[in-house]
Amino acid sequence: MTTTPEGNGAVVDAAFCERVGKVIAVHLAYRSRAEQRGRTPAFPSYFLKATSSLASSGGTVERPAGTELLAFEGEIALVIGTTARRVSPEQGWSHVGHITASNDLGLYDIKHADKGSNVRSKSGDGFTPIGPELLDAAGVDPENLRIRTWVNGEIAQDATTEELIFSFGQIVADLSQQMTLQPGDVILTGTPAGSSVVAPGDLVEVQVDDVASSRSTGRLATTVTAGAEGFAAFGNPTKVTDADRIDAFGTAEAAGVDVPLTGAAALTAAVREKLLSVATATISGALRKRGLNNVAIEGLNATKGTRKVIGVARTLRYVPNREDLFAARGGGYNAQKRVMDSLAPGEILVMEARGETGSATLGDILALRSQVAGAEAIITDGSVRDLSAVAELDIPLFHNGAHPAVLGRKHVPWSVDETIGCGGTTVQPGDIIVADADGILVIPPALAAEIADETVEQERRDAFVFAHVQKGNKIDGLFPMNKQWLEKYHAWVEAGADLGTL
């Protein structure tokens, strides 16, 4: 370790890299990255990187011959300053000596071979550049750090530690439960959204800034080169799937992969407007025509009467209360609170409570948080506490009754954004939910556009029939329309479909 000429702090050099004891990396830690991956973990998880993968700023990294998916991940690296063993989350940060920038490079072409351990995909020589400057942890605010990554001078990642799912103190404490963290050990703390694929000739730069003091690590620079050697036949071959490409590039669009429409991509403004304009019963009929008879969430009450809502499903699952499990996962910033905080406009939270009404699944504070976040509605097949207060909020709630007890009496908040069962039907994250006092329907995203078009047409036909019945016409031949009535209908549509002309 040497000192910079300006005397601002220590810098990472080859000697520093040789003294590192172990390198530990966090899988998912930033909310934006978790949203890309479609899952938000309840606790941090980790993998190890070889110390031989460490490199200092200004070096190169090879993309092996015959591969295509070398991806960068700009991250904040913690360098342990004092020994940590079985410390608390409150104590964890005090054991960090320095922070610096890092690049957790990975080769997705070989990721399949290690079933999550990332031994080969993440531990290539030069796959963990860190530096250039080490900032004294005692002089920075861990909750107000900024991480940025540039590729060929263009910004690719820009986030702050405000969006971390797990604090640095929690990460240190969690690791120290099982292993002794020693001075010089390095922890890579996860990457935000924006990670993508780089190619030979690309220059990747990562920088960490302490926002309050304006101190910076400087730019950690790594140039990608083309390797002359690939993977030999005596080991696992490389393999690339569309899923690998999506993970490497960050999104299906960036990867050039066509995937079935889900969620917000399927619920365009035009589709939303059409579905809101038609009766729930009409949508139900269109679903039944396609053989979907089990897509209604049943038996719930609506706080907003006939007000109609539409949105993309987010899901939360409660499991039956077991005291030891509630002690481990029911308190603190649990799955229930995490999903409420992560809701966004256009989303509807659907909760699986197994129809259990002997304990509440939410109250007025969490309902208010969902409203402030912009969620369209909340659906639960369990009970609600503070029901009168919740009913006065603007956010529509569909529920199974009231109960004064907190959720711990019957429920443990368990998982977020997984397939669940609610009110007798299955709901997946990304499904489209249409709900009013007449019913709650689950629409598979891939069918949303055609159902929207079909139901608008069906309601126009129904309006035509209703108007003629109102004028005294008989039902026979009109409902359903025979050939003669269909000719009149199509002529009316071509003329502008004005009910006033009938």
Side-chain angles (χ1 to χ4, degrees):
M1 185 183 296
T2 59
T3 303
T4 59
E6 297 82 4
N8 289 329
V11 296
V12 173
D13 55 15
F16 171 87
C17 293
E18 291 175 0
R19 289 195 295 270
V20 173
K22 50 184 171 285
V23 181
I24 307 166
V26 180
H27 279 113
L28 281 174
Y30 285 80
R31 298 190 189 285
S32 58
R33 179 73 160 181
E35 289 169 2
Q36 277 190 326
R37 288 291 194 256
R39 64 185 187 277
T40 301
F43 303 102
S45 61
Y46 314 93
F47 58 93
L48 294 172
K49 299 193 74 170
T51 54
S52 56
S53 70
L54 290 166
S56 55
S57 184
T60 61
V61 63
E62 286 189 1
R63 189 185 74 178
T67 65
E68 58 178 289
L69 299 181
L70 178 65
F72 66 86
E73 294 181 8
E75 306 196 10
I76 298 170
L78 311 181
V79 182
I80 297 299
T82 58
T83 302
R85 177 67 167 131
R86 294 196 178 97
V87 301
S88 70
E90 292 74 24
Q91 298 167 326
W93 174 249
S94 68
H95 291 272
V96 178
H98 296 87
I99 67 163
T100 192
S102 62
N103 189 348
D104 181 17
L105 289 153
L107 187 66
Y108 283 76
D109 306 67
I110 198 67
K111 188 175 182 180
H112 74 97
D114 293 312
K115 300 186 186 304
S117 69
N118 295 330
V119 171
R120 281 163 283 193
S121 64
K122 289 280 192 174
S123 282
D125 288 350
F127 274 38
T128 316
I130 60 174
E133 183 176 332
L134 293 158
L135 300 184
D136 188 345
V140 302
D141 179 0
E143 297 182 357
N144 197 20
L145 299 175
R146 185 182 186 187
I147 173 79
R148 285 178 290 174
T149 306
W150 296 262
V151 177
N152 300 325
E154 297 292 327
I155 194 73
Q157 294 178 291
D158 190 351
T160 71
T161 49
E162 289 182 347
E163 70 160 282
L164 279 172
I165 303 170
F166 316 108
S167 71
F168 293 151
Q170 179 183 352
I171 290 170
V172 171
D174 188 27
L175 288 168
S176 78
Q177 294 185 94
Q178 188 68 11
M179 67 182 77
T180 299
L181 298 176
Q182 298 175 330
D185 288 346
V186 171
I187 303 172
L188 310 185
T189 57
T191 196
S195 163
S196 192
V197 171
V198 284
D202 287 340
L203 172 64
V204 184
E205 299 171 288
V206 184
Q207 179 171 307
V208 176
D209 300 299
D210 177 48
V211 176
S213 69
S214 298
R215 295 181 62 207
S216 172
T217 63
R219 292 198 185 187
L220 168 68
T222 306
T223 301
V224 182
T225 63
E229 301 291 334
F231 287 85
F234 51 75
N236 266 295
T238 59
K239 181 177 71 173
V240 174
T241 66
D242 282 347
D244 294 323
R245 289 190 175 90
I246 293 170
D247 279 351
F249 280 91
T251 65
E253 181 180 5
V257 175
D258 292 327
V259 295
L261 286 176
T262 60
L267 190 58
T268 64
V271 169
R272 175 188 291 271
E273 182 180 358
K274 290 175 182 177
L275 291 174
L276 284 174
S277 72
V278 300
T280 305
T282 307
I283 297 172
S284 179
L287 290 166
R288 286 198 306 275
K289 284 175 59 177
R290 290 161 175 79
L292 295 170
N293 296 305
N294 297 296
V295 288
I297 298 175
E298 299 176 341
L300 305 187
N301 306 299
T303 60
K304 295 302 175 185
T306 58
R307 176 172 160 187
K308 191 168 190 176
V309 295
I310 185 169
V312 176
R314 297 285 306 281
T315 62
L316 170 63
R317 182 163 68 98
Y318 297 99
V319 298
N321 184 37
R322 203 177 85 187
E323 287 76 7
D324 60 325
L325 296 180
F326 191 87
R329 299 180 67 160
Y333 196 51
N334 59 28
Q336 179 198 49
K337 294 173 183 175
R338 291 197 305 273
V339 73
M340 300 290 180
D341 267 349
S342 68
L343 290 173
E347 295 179 341
I348 293 177
L349 177 59
V350 185
M351 298 192 283
E352 174 189 338
R354 312 171 312 284
E356 171 60 63
T357 59
S359 183
T361 54
L362 83 159
D364 58 345
I365 292 177
L366 292 181
L368 177 60
R369 175 67 189 115
S370 303
Q371 175 179 303
V372 171
E376 303 297 323
I378 303 170
I379 298 170
T380 176
D381 63 355
S383 293
V384 177
R385 67 183 299 185
D386 312 312
L387 180 57
S388 60
V390 173
E392 291 179 1
L393 295 174
D394 189 55
I395 187 169
L397 170 69
F398 300 83
H399 63 93
N400 202 9
H403 199 284
V406 295
L407 62 88
R409 182 170 181 267
K410 293 287 186 178
H411 305 293
V412 181
W414 195 254
S415 57
V416 172
D417 291 333
E418 296 180 355
T419 300
I420 64 168
C422 180
T425 195
T426 299
V427 180
Q428 294 190 297
D431 281 342
I432 294 173
I433 307 294
V434 177
D436 59 21
D438 290 333
I440 306 169
L441 295 174
V442 181
I443 304 174
L447 297 177
E450 65 180 78
I451 286 177
D453 289 339
E454 180 179 313
T455 51
V456 166
E457 168 65 12
Q458 184 61 53
E459 293 230 333
R460 185 167 58 189
R461 290 185 177 219
D462 289 347
F464 176 85
V465 170
F466 187 89
H468 281 286
V469 170
Q470 194 173 40
K471 290 172 64 175
N473 286 279
K474 294 181 179 180
I475 292 294
D476 186 29
L478 175 60
F479 187 60
M481 288 185 279
N482 59 22
K483 181 180 179 181
Q484 290 74 26
W485 276 111
L486 279 172
E487 290 175 351
K488 293 179 181 180
Y489 169 74
H490 290 305
W492 172 68
V493 171
E494 290 177 6
D498 182 358
L499 289 173
T501 65
L502 294 177

